[in-house]
């Protein structure tokens, strides 16, 4: 399975570091050149253009929320792909989202893809601290999707990256706990939780 991270801002960089720490190859792309930052993070980060990055099996969106539609237009076909929504729609009026949870609104720009919400609830600085917490357990990453198979696949990736996945169920149900709405943060956003195995 091939992976790509689009957006190497603070969240995208933290996720890329997790891939690097586990020696997992990942394509990285952004609106600006990412070659120097990718080389700094690790040798398994492969810089590409966005048009090439969207060809990966799993595409992680770590761009500002307003830019997701542009990424959606970068591929002719999203069928069979998993798109991980690591964005937050804080400050976006609910009416702009058609009253939908932000990830459900995002899914409209990626027809045929299975959208999974993950990696968005922690601040970038916390996520960048890595999978192991000071208490010695694994840092929790919440996962939510309307597609059980895609949710399980992303949970397995989260686990492979060293984090502890907790599946919340469907985007419009348990997934609402990690969806910003208007100027309100959901209950689980910013919760840095530890799981002890």
């Amino acid at each position: 399975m091939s992976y790509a991270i689009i957006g190497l801002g603070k969240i995208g960089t933290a996720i890329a570091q997790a891939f690097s720490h586990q020696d997992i190859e990942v394509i990285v792309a952004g609106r600006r050149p990412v070659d120097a930052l990718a080389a700094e993070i690790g040798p398994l980060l492969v810089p590409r253009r966005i048009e090439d990055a969207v060809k990966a099996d799993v595409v992680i969106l770590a761009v500002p929320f307003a830019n997701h539609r542009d990424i959606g237009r970068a591929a002719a076909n999203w069928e069979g792909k998993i798109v991980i929504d690591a964005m937050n729609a804080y400050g976006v009026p609910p009416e702009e989202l058609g009253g939908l949870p932000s990830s459900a609104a995002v899914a409209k720009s990626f027809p045929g893809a299975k959208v999974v919400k993950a990696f968005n609830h922690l601040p970038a600085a916390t996520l960048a601290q890595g999978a192991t917490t000071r208490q010695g357990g694994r840092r929790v990453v919440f996962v939510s999707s309307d597609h059980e198979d895609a949710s399980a696949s992303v949970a397995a990736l989260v686990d492979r990256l060293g984090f502890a996945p907790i599946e919340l169920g469907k985007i419009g149900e348990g997934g609402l706990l990690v969806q910003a709405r208007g100027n309100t943060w959901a209950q689980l956003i910013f919760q840095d939780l530890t799981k002890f195995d």
Side-chain angles (χ1 to χ4, degrees):
M1 190 166 284
S2 57
Y3 303 100
I5 300 168
I6 299 180
L8 274 191
K10 292 177 181 176
I11 287 287
T13 295
I15 297 169
Q17 288 168 337
F19 273 85
S20 181
H21 292 154
Q22 296 301 324
D23 296 323
I24 302 170
E25 184 175 278
V26 62
I27 295 164
V28 290
R31 290 175 295 163
R32 294 181 293 278
V34 297
D35 302 58
L37 180 55
E40 185 181 312
I41 295 171
L44 291 177
L45 272 65
V46 182
R48 291 282 185 265
R49 297 178 316 130
I50 289 173
E51 295 77 10
D52 297 320
V54 296
K55 295 175 184 173
D57 300 316
V58 177
V59 176
I60 301 170
L61 297 178
V63 297
F65 186 81
N67 296 351
H68 75 271
R69 291 178 193 90
D70 293 335
I71 307 303
R73 289 189 286 270
N77 184 4
W78 288 95
E79 199 68 42
K81 295 183 183 295
I82 293 175
V83 172
I84 299 176
D85 173 10
M87 305 174 294
N88 277 310
Y90 183 82
V92 177
E95 51 274 15
E96 260 186 54
L97 303 176
L100 298 170
S102 62
S103 291
V106 166
K108 293 183 171 215
S109 296
F110 299 87
K114 295 178 178 181
V115 173
V116 180
K117 188 76 162 174
F119 295 109
N120 72 299
H121 84 280
L122 291 170
T126 303
L127 193 58
Q129 291 171 17
T132 305
T133 64
R134 283 191 212 123
Q135 296 89 350
R138 293 192 302 154
R139 182 164 276 118
V140 167
V141 168
F142 295 109
V143 177
S144 174
S145 179
D146 291 341
H147 306 276
E148 284 184 26
D149 57 335
S151 185
S153 182
V154 171
L157 172 62
V158 167
D159 184 65
R160 192 172 165 203
L161 293 173
F163 295 92
I166 293 184
E167 294 186 66
L168 297 176
K170 293 184 182 281
I171 287 169
E173 296 172 2
L176 292 176
L177 295 170
V178 290
Q179 301 266 340
R181 188 160 182 80
N183 292 324
T184 304
W185 292 108
Q187 295 94 320
L188 292 178
I189 292 181
F190 306 128
Q191 298 301 310
D192 186 13
L193 305 176
T194 300
K195 182 177 180 186
F196 296 95
D197 295 320

